Amino acid sequence: MAAEQVRRKLAAILAADMVSYTSHMHVDEEGTLAQLKTLRDDLIDPKIVEHRGRIFKTTGDGVLAEFQSVVDAIRCAVEIQLALASRNARLPVVEHAEFRLGVNLGDVIVEGSDLYGDGVNVAARLE
């Protein structure tokens, strides 16, 4: 039997990860989780959709999203960071939320609705 051929494609990958999530969880698990969910629901996920992206994996405090255009991925990342900065400016420092974001254009392996490979790994390392 012949081995199944691996399906690949070129994609812009955005990796987002909440800064100091573990230490925030140590201090206030419920508050940190509520803050993360609110930020995802109100800001991060809608921005990804607005820029024609698709979330293909979540990892606790992180999100991996695929875009067909690197320009869309970069615009999305910039708008997320600007919105977070604006939000943080209105809040006490203890309530600030920061995210690391990385974007990479690279070849990825497609398996169902998930993506793998260096194209994904480099985006995660950049963030």
Side-chain angles (χ1 to χ4, degrees):
M1 183 181 335
E4 185 177 320
Q5 186 173 359
V6 174
R7 188 169 149 238
R8 295 181 170 272
K9 68 178 179 179
L10 187 65
I13 305 298
L14 180 146
D17 182 10
M18 189 174 185
V19 174
S20 301
Y21 179 74
T22 302
S23 60
H24 288 297
M25 287 293 279
H26 181 71
V27 173
D28 180 9
E29 286 180 333
E30 292 173 0
T32 300
L33 185 57
Q35 180 186 48
L36 176 63
K37 285 183 175 187
T38 297
L39 288 169
R40 288 271 323 272
D41 291 344
D42 296 348
L43 173 64
I44 296 169
D45 294 16
K47 283 290 179 195
I48 290 170
V49 171
E50 178 185 329
H51 291 281
R52 295 172 292 283
R54 172 186 77 87
I55 295 172
F56 65 91
K57 189 176 290 182
T58 60
T59 57
D61 66 326
V63 172
L64 292 170
E66 168 193 19
F67 295 80
Q68 291 183 15
S69 163
V70 72
V71 172
D72 287 342
I74 294 293
R75 286 181 177 155
C76 179
V78 168
E79 288 184 22
I80 288 170
Q81 292 293 40
L82 291 173
L84 285 169
S86 175
R87 174 195 175 275
N88 287 341
R90 298 186 306 269
L91 296 172
V93 173
V94 296
E95 295 180 33
H96 284 193
E98 296 179 352
F99 278 76
R100 289 183 291 263
L101 300 173
V103 175
N104 181 56
L105 177 65
D107 195 60
V108 296
I109 297 170
V110 179
E111 189 173 283
S113 62
D114 210 346
L115 303 175
Y116 299 93
D118 278 343
V120 177
N121 296 340
V122 170
R125 286 190 182 101
L126 288 172
E127 57 97 14

PDB file of all heavy atoms in Angstrom, residues 75-103:
ATOM      1  N   ARG A  75      -1.733  43.198   9.771  1.00  0.00           N
ATOM      2  CA  ARG A  75      -2.724  44.217  10.156  1.00  0.00           C
ATOM      3  C   ARG A  75      -3.509  43.774  11.389  1.00  0.00           C
ATOM      4  O   ARG A  75      -3.789  44.570  12.283  1.00  0.00           O
ATOM      5  CB  ARG A  75      -3.667  44.506   8.998  1.00  0.00           C
ATOM      6  CG  ARG A  75      -3.029  45.335   7.908  1.00  0.00           C
ATOM      7  CD  ARG A  75      -3.991  45.633   6.783  1.00  0.00           C
ATOM      8  NE  ARG A  75      -3.351  46.484   5.789  1.00  0.00           N
ATOM      9  CZ  ARG A  75      -3.692  46.541   4.525  1.00  0.00           C
ATOM     10  NH1 ARG A  75      -4.706  45.806   4.082  1.00  0.00           N
ATOM     11  NH2 ARG A  75      -3.063  47.336   3.692  1.00  0.00           N
ATOM     12  N   CYS A  76      -3.869  42.523  11.432  1.00  0.00           N
ATOM     13  CA  CYS A  76      -4.583  41.975  12.582  1.00  0.00           C
ATOM     14  C   CYS A  76      -3.734  42.103  13.847  1.00  0.00           C
ATOM     15  O   CYS A  76      -4.216  42.578  14.886  1.00  0.00           O
ATOM     16  CB  CYS A  76      -4.945  40.513  12.318  1.00  0.00           C
ATOM     17  SG  CYS A  76      -5.816  39.724  13.680  1.00  0.00           S
ATOM     18  N   ALA A  77      -2.482  41.699  13.775  1.00  0.00           N
ATOM     19  CA  ALA A  77      -1.589  41.766  14.935  1.00  0.00           C
ATOM     20  C   ALA A  77      -1.425  43.202  15.425  1.00  0.00           C
ATOM     21  O   ALA A  77      -1.500  43.470  16.630  1.00  0.00           O
ATOM     22  CB  ALA A  77      -0.230  41.161  14.580  1.00  0.00           C
ATOM     23  N   VAL A  78      -1.231  44.126  14.501  1.00  0.00           N
ATOM     24  CA  VAL A  78      -1.058  45.537  14.872  1.00  0.00           C
ATOM     25  C   VAL A  78      -2.323  46.073  15.535  1.00  0.00           C
ATOM     26  O   VAL A  78      -2.260  46.742  16.581  1.00  0.00           O
ATOM     27  CB  VAL A  78      -0.668  46.384  13.640  1.00  0.00           C
ATOM     28  CG1 VAL A  78      -0.769  47.878  13.944  1.00  0.00           C
ATOM     29  CG2 VAL A  78       0.736  46.021  13.176  1.00  0.00           C
ATOM     30  N   GLU A  79      -3.479  45.772  14.972  1.00  0.00           N
ATOM     31  CA  GLU A  79      -4.730  46.263  15.545  1.00  0.00           C
ATOM     32  C   GLU A  79      -4.997  45.667  16.930  1.00  0.00           C
ATOM     33  O   GLU A  79      -5.507  46.352  17.815  1.00  0.00           O
ATOM     34  CB  GLU A  79      -5.893  46.008  14.592  1.00  0.00           C
ATOM     35  CG  GLU A  79      -5.852  46.927  13.392  1.00  0.00           C
ATOM     36  CD  GLU A  79      -7.049  46.766  12.471  1.00  0.00           C
ATOM     37  OE1 GLU A  79      -8.104  46.267  12.923  1.00  0.00           O
ATOM     38  OE2 GLU A  79      -6.927  47.151  11.293  1.00  0.00           O
ATOM     39  N   ILE A  80      -4.645  44.409  17.126  1.00  0.00           N
ATOM     40  CA  ILE A  80      -4.789  43.798  18.451  1.00  0.00           C
ATOM     41  C   ILE A  80      -3.899  44.532  19.451  1.00  0.00           C
ATOM     42  O   ILE A  80      -4.343  44.900  20.544  1.00  0.00           O
ATOM     43  CB  ILE A  80      -4.464  42.290  18.415  1.00  0.00           C
ATOM     44  CG1 ILE A  80      -5.582  41.522  17.692  1.00  0.00           C
ATOM     45  CG2 ILE A  80      -4.261  41.741  19.831  1.00  0.00           C
ATOM     46  CD1 ILE A  80      -5.249  40.068  17.398  1.00  0.00           C
ATOM     47  N   GLN A  81      -2.642  44.762  19.085  1.00  0.00           N
ATOM     48  CA  GLN A  81      -1.720  45.438  19.999  1.00  0.00           C
ATOM     49  C   GLN A  81      -2.169  46.867  20.301  1.00  0.00           C
ATOM     50  O   GLN A  81      -2.093  47.314  21.447  1.00  0.00           O
ATOM     51  CB  GLN A  81      -0.285  45.425  19.449  1.00  0.00           C
ATOM     52  CG  GLN A  81       0.341  44.044  19.403  1.00  0.00           C
ATOM     53  CD  GLN A  81       0.604  43.444  20.779  1.00  0.00           C
ATOM     54  OE1 GLN A  81      -0.188  43.561  21.707  1.00  0.00           O
ATOM     55  NE2 GLN A  81       1.731  42.775  20.907  1.00  0.00           N
ATOM     56  N   LEU A  82      -2.649  47.589  19.301  1.00  0.00           N
ATOM     57  CA  LEU A  82      -3.128  48.958  19.527  1.00  0.00           C
ATOM     58  C   LEU A  82      -4.354  48.975  20.433  1.00  0.00           C
ATOM     59  O   LEU A  82      -4.462  49.817  21.333  1.00  0.00           O
ATOM     60  CB  LEU A  82      -3.439  49.651  18.192  1.00  0.00           C
ATOM     61  CG  LEU A  82      -2.232  49.977  17.313  1.00  0.00           C
ATOM     62  CD1 LEU A  82      -2.687  50.506  15.958  1.00  0.00           C
ATOM     63  CD2 LEU A  82      -1.303  50.965  18.012  1.00  0.00           C
ATOM     64  N   ALA A  83      -5.259  48.045  20.226  1.00  0.00           N
ATOM     65  CA  ALA A  83      -6.461  47.967  21.059  1.00  0.00           C
ATOM     66  C   ALA A  83      -6.101  47.601  22.500  1.00  0.00           C
ATOM     67  O   ALA A  83      -6.682  48.147  23.450  1.00  0.00           O
ATOM     68  CB  ALA A  83      -7.446  46.966  20.478  1.00  0.00           C
ATOM     69  N   LEU A  84      -5.149  46.687  22.676  1.00  0.00           N
ATOM     70  CA  LEU A  84      -4.707  46.328  24.021  1.00  0.00           C
ATOM     71  C   LEU A  84      -4.042  47.512  24.720  1.00  0.00           C
ATOM     72  O   LEU A  84      -4.283  47.756  25.904  1.00  0.00           O
ATOM     73  CB  LEU A  84      -3.742  45.140  23.977  1.00  0.00           C
ATOM     74  CG  LEU A  84      -4.364  43.779  23.727  1.00  0.00           C
ATOM     75  CD1 LEU A  84      -3.282  42.737  23.429  1.00  0.00           C
ATOM     76  CD2 LEU A  84      -5.205  43.345  24.926  1.00  0.00           C
ATOM     77  N   ALA A  85      -3.225  48.263  23.998  1.00  0.00           N
ATOM     78  CA  ALA A  85      -2.565  49.436  24.581  1.00  0.00           C
ATOM     79  C   ALA A  85      -3.599  50.474  25.009  1.00  0.00           C
ATOM     80  O   ALA A  85      -3.489  51.060  26.095  1.00  0.00           O
ATOM     81  CB  ALA A  85      -1.577  50.035  23.584  1.00  0.00           C
ATOM     82  N   SER A  86      -4.599  50.684  24.184  1.00  0.00           N
ATOM     83  CA  SER A  86      -5.666  51.629  24.516  1.00  0.00           C
ATOM     84  C   SER A  86      -6.432  51.170  25.749  1.00  0.00           C
ATOM     85  O   SER A  86      -6.737  51.961  26.649  1.00  0.00           O
ATOM     86  CB  SER A  86      -6.601  51.780  23.316  1.00  0.00           C
ATOM     87  OG  SER A  86      -7.686  52.596  23.634  1.00  0.00           O
ATOM     88  N   ARG A  87      -6.748  49.894  25.789  1.00  0.00           N
ATOM     89  CA  ARG A  87      -7.456  49.318  26.933  1.00  0.00           C
ATOM     90  C   ARG A  87      -6.628  49.458  28.200  1.00  0.00           C
ATOM     91  O   ARG A  87      -7.123  49.874  29.245  1.00  0.00           O
ATOM     92  CB  ARG A  87      -7.759  47.842  26.647  1.00  0.00           C
ATOM     93  CG  ARG A  87      -8.369  47.083  27.791  1.00  0.00           C
ATOM     94  CD  ARG A  87      -8.275  45.575  27.543  1.00  0.00           C
ATOM     95  NE  ARG A  87      -8.758  44.828  28.671  1.00  0.00           N
ATOM     96  CZ  ARG A  87      -8.020  44.518  29.737  1.00  0.00           C
ATOM     97  NH1 ARG A  87      -6.761  44.908  29.809  1.00  0.00           N
ATOM     98  NH2 ARG A  87      -8.533  43.832  30.728  1.00  0.00           N
ATOM     99  N   ASN A  88      -5.356  49.102  28.122  1.00  0.00           N
ATOM    100  CA  ASN A  88      -4.485  49.149  29.296  1.00  0.00           C
ATOM    101  C   ASN A  88      -4.315  50.570  29.823  1.00  0.00           C
ATOM    102  O   ASN A  88      -4.180  50.764  31.033  1.00  0.00           O
ATOM    103  CB  ASN A  88      -3.124  48.527  28.980  1.00  0.00           C
ATOM    104  CG  ASN A  88      -3.188  47.018  28.867  1.00  0.00           C
ATOM    105  OD1 ASN A  88      -4.127  46.381  29.337  1.00  0.00           O
ATOM    106  ND2 ASN A  88      -2.192  46.445  28.225  1.00  0.00           N
ATOM    107  N   ALA A  89      -4.324  51.545  28.933  1.00  0.00           N
ATOM    108  CA  ALA A  89      -4.154  52.943  29.347  1.00  0.00           C
ATOM    109  C   ALA A  89      -5.292  53.408  30.258  1.00  0.00           C
ATOM    110  O   ALA A  89      -5.113  54.337  31.043  1.00  0.00           O
ATOM    111  CB  ALA A  89      -4.057  53.845  28.120  1.00  0.00           C
ATOM    112  N   ARG A  90      -6.438  52.772  30.157  1.00  0.00           N
ATOM    113  CA  ARG A  90      -7.606  53.154  30.959  1.00  0.00           C
ATOM    114  C   ARG A  90      -7.704  52.385  32.272  1.00  0.00           C
ATOM    115  O   ARG A  90      -8.607  52.646  33.062  1.00  0.00           O
ATOM    116  CB  ARG A  90      -8.889  52.931  30.155  1.00  0.00           C
ATOM    117  CG  ARG A  90      -9.002  53.755  28.892  1.00  0.00           C
ATOM    118  CD  ARG A  90     -10.365  53.584  28.218  1.00  0.00           C
ATOM    119  NE  ARG A  90     -10.729  52.210  27.938  1.00  0.00           N
ATOM    120  CZ  ARG A  90     -10.473  51.551  26.813  1.00  0.00           C
ATOM    121  NH1 ARG A  90      -9.833  52.164  25.833  1.00  0.00           N
ATOM    122  NH2 ARG A  90     -10.864  50.310  26.651  1.00  0.00           N
ATOM    123  N   LEU A  91      -6.823  51.418  32.483  1.00  0.00           N
ATOM    124  CA  LEU A  91      -6.934  50.531  33.634  1.00  0.00           C
ATOM    125  C   LEU A  91      -5.744  50.668  34.580  1.00  0.00           C
ATOM    126  O   LEU A  91      -4.655  51.055  34.163  1.00  0.00           O
ATOM    127  CB  LEU A  91      -6.998  49.066  33.157  1.00  0.00           C
ATOM    128  CG  LEU A  91      -8.192  48.672  32.313  1.00  0.00           C
ATOM    129  CD1 LEU A  91      -8.003  47.264  31.782  1.00  0.00           C
ATOM    130  CD2 LEU A  91      -9.477  48.771  33.114  1.00  0.00           C
ATOM    131  N   PRO A  92      -5.950  50.315  35.848  1.00  0.00           N
ATOM    132  CA  PRO A  92      -4.804  50.250  36.763  1.00  0.00           C
ATOM    133  C   PRO A  92      -3.806  49.199  36.262  1.00  0.00           C
ATOM    134  O   PRO A  92      -4.193  48.219  35.622  1.00  0.00           O
ATOM    135  CB  PRO A  92      -5.419  49.800  38.089  1.00  0.00           C
ATOM    136  CG  PRO A  92      -6.897  49.914  37.943  1.00  0.00           C
ATOM    137  CD  PRO A  92      -7.213  49.945  36.481  1.00  0.00           C
ATOM    138  N   VAL A  93      -2.542  49.386  36.580  1.00  0.00           N
ATOM    139  CA  VAL A  93      -1.479  48.502  36.096  1.00  0.00           C
ATOM    140  C   VAL A  93      -1.754  47.034  36.437  1.00  0.00           C
ATOM    141  O   VAL A  93      -1.482  46.153  35.619  1.00  0.00           O
ATOM    142  CB  VAL A  93      -0.111  48.947  36.658  1.00  0.00           C
ATOM    143  CG1 VAL A  93       0.983  47.946  36.317  1.00  0.00           C
ATOM    144  CG2 VAL A  93       0.250  50.320  36.137  1.00  0.00           C
ATOM    145  N   VAL A  94      -2.327  46.771  37.602  1.00  0.00           N
ATOM    146  CA  VAL A  94      -2.579  45.380  37.999  1.00  0.00           C
ATOM    147  C   VAL A  94      -3.601  44.685  37.102  1.00  0.00           C
ATOM    148  O   VAL A  94      -3.682  43.464  37.092  1.00  0.00           O
ATOM    149  CB  VAL A  94      -3.015  45.255  39.479  1.00  0.00           C
ATOM    150  CG1 VAL A  94      -1.900  45.705  40.400  1.00  0.00           C
ATOM    151  CG2 VAL A  94      -4.297  46.022  39.741  1.00  0.00           C
ATOM    152  N   GLU A  95      -4.376  45.457  36.336  1.00  0.00           N
ATOM    153  CA  GLU A  95      -5.380  44.880  35.440  1.00  0.00           C
ATOM    154  C   GLU A  95      -4.935  44.859  33.979  1.00  0.00           C
ATOM    155  O   GLU A  95      -5.689  44.457  33.105  1.00  0.00           O
ATOM    156  CB  GLU A  95      -6.692  45.659  35.559  1.00  0.00           C
ATOM    157  CG  GLU A  95      -7.341  45.542  36.920  1.00  0.00           C
ATOM    158  CD  GLU A  95      -8.637  46.336  37.012  1.00  0.00           C
ATOM    159  OE1 GLU A  95      -9.347  46.442  35.989  1.00  0.00           O
ATOM    160  OE2 GLU A  95      -8.927  46.837  38.103  1.00  0.00           O
ATOM    161  N   HIS A  96      -3.696  45.282  33.716  1.00  0.00           N
ATOM    162  CA  HIS A  96      -3.196  45.281  32.341  1.00  0.00           C
ATOM    163  C   HIS A  96      -3.064  43.853  31.814  1.00  0.00           C
ATOM    164  O   HIS A  96      -2.725  42.933  32.557  1.00  0.00           O
ATOM    165  CB  HIS A  96      -1.835  45.958  32.257  1.00  0.00           C
ATOM    166  CG  HIS A  96      -1.912  47.440  32.339  1.00  0.00           C
ATOM    167  ND1 HIS A  96      -0.855  48.245  32.020  1.00  0.00           N
ATOM    168  CD2 HIS A  96      -2.919  48.279  32.706  1.00  0.00           C
ATOM    169  CE1 HIS A  96      -1.193  49.505  32.193  1.00  0.00           C
ATOM    170  NE2 HIS A  96      -2.445  49.551  32.606  1.00  0.00           N
ATOM    171  N   ALA A  97      -3.328  43.705  30.539  1.00  0.00           N
ATOM    172  CA  ALA A  97      -3.115  42.432  29.843  1.00  0.00           C
ATOM    173  C   ALA A  97      -2.249  42.721  28.626  1.00  0.00           C
ATOM    174  O   ALA A  97      -2.518  43.656  27.872  1.00  0.00           O
ATOM    175  CB  ALA A  97      -4.435  41.822  29.418  1.00  0.00           C
ATOM    176  N   GLU A  98      -1.215  41.927  28.485  1.00  0.00           N
ATOM    177  CA  GLU A  98      -0.331  42.071  27.332  1.00  0.00           C
ATOM    178  C   GLU A  98      -0.217  40.737  26.622  1.00  0.00           C
ATOM    179  O   GLU A  98      -0.269  39.679  27.251  1.00  0.00           O
ATOM    180  CB  GLU A  98       1.048  42.543  27.778  1.00  0.00           C
ATOM    181  CG  GLU A  98       1.037  43.929  28.401  1.00  0.00           C
ATOM    182  CD  GLU A  98       2.409  44.377  28.875  1.00  0.00           C
ATOM    183  OE1 GLU A  98       3.357  43.552  28.859  1.00  0.00           O
ATOM    184  OE2 GLU A  98       2.523  45.539  29.270  1.00  0.00           O
ATOM    185  N   PHE A  99      -0.063  40.816  25.308  1.00  0.00           N
ATOM    186  CA  PHE A  99       0.101  39.613  24.497  1.00  0.00           C
ATOM    187  C   PHE A  99       1.349  39.742  23.639  1.00  0.00           C
ATOM    188  O   PHE A  99       1.648  40.820  23.121  1.00  0.00           O
ATOM    189  CB  PHE A  99      -1.117  39.409  23.572  1.00  0.00           C
ATOM    190  CG  PHE A  99      -2.276  38.763  24.263  1.00  0.00           C
ATOM    191  CD1 PHE A  99      -3.074  39.487  25.132  1.00  0.00           C
ATOM    192  CD2 PHE A  99      -2.576  37.427  24.045  1.00  0.00           C
ATOM    193  CE1 PHE A  99      -4.146  38.904  25.777  1.00  0.00           C
ATOM    194  CE2 PHE A  99      -3.643  36.828  24.690  1.00  0.00           C
ATOM    195  CZ  PHE A  99      -4.432  37.566  25.555  1.00  0.00           C
ATOM    196  N   ARG A 100       2.048  38.635  23.509  1.00  0.00           N
ATOM    197  CA  ARG A 100       3.128  38.538  22.531  1.00  0.00           C
ATOM    198  C   ARG A 100       2.483  38.013  21.248  1.00  0.00           C
ATOM    199  O   ARG A 100       1.682  37.081  21.298  1.00  0.00           O
ATOM    200  CB  ARG A 100       4.198  37.558  22.997  1.00  0.00           C
ATOM    201  CG  ARG A 100       5.034  38.047  24.154  1.00  0.00           C
ATOM    202  CD  ARG A 100       6.114  37.019  24.497  1.00  0.00           C
ATOM    203  NE  ARG A 100       5.514  35.827  25.061  1.00  0.00           N
ATOM    204  CZ  ARG A 100       5.417  35.576  26.364  1.00  0.00           C
ATOM    205  NH1 ARG A 100       5.875  36.446  27.227  1.00  0.00           N
ATOM    206  NH2 ARG A 100       4.870  34.468  26.808  1.00  0.00           N
ATOM    207  N   LEU A 101       2.852  38.606  20.128  1.00  0.00           N
ATOM    208  CA  LEU A 101       2.311  38.168  18.845  1.00  0.00           C
ATOM    209  C   LEU A 101       3.469  37.937  17.876  1.00  0.00           C
ATOM    210  O   LEU A 101       4.399  38.734  17.827  1.00  0.00           O
ATOM    211  CB  LEU A 101       1.368  39.217  18.257  1.00  0.00           C
ATOM    212  CG  LEU A 101       0.148  39.584  19.095  1.00  0.00           C
ATOM    213  CD1 LEU A 101      -0.593  40.749  18.470  1.00  0.00           C
ATOM    214  CD2 LEU A 101      -0.774  38.404  19.248  1.00  0.00           C
ATOM    215  N   GLY A 102       3.383  36.868  17.120  1.00  0.00           N
ATOM    216  CA  GLY A 102       4.362  36.583  16.085  1.00  0.00           C
ATOM    217  C   GLY A 102       3.648  36.191  14.813  1.00  0.00           C
ATOM    218  O   GLY A 102       2.609  35.525  14.855  1.00  0.00           O
ATOM    219  N   VAL A 103       4.200  36.626  13.689  1.00  0.00           N
ATOM    220  CA  VAL A 103       3.615  36.291  12.387  1.00  0.00           C
ATOM    221  C   VAL A 103       4.716  35.717  11.506  1.00  0.00           C
ATOM    222  O   VAL A 103       5.824  36.250  11.461  1.00  0.00           O
ATOM    223  CB  VAL A 103       2.990  37.535  11.704  1.00  0.00           C
ATOM    224  CG1 VAL A 103       2.507  37.198  10.299  1.00  0.00           C
ATOM    225  CG2 VAL A 103       1.849  38.095  12.547  1.00  0.00           C
TER     226      VAL A 103
END
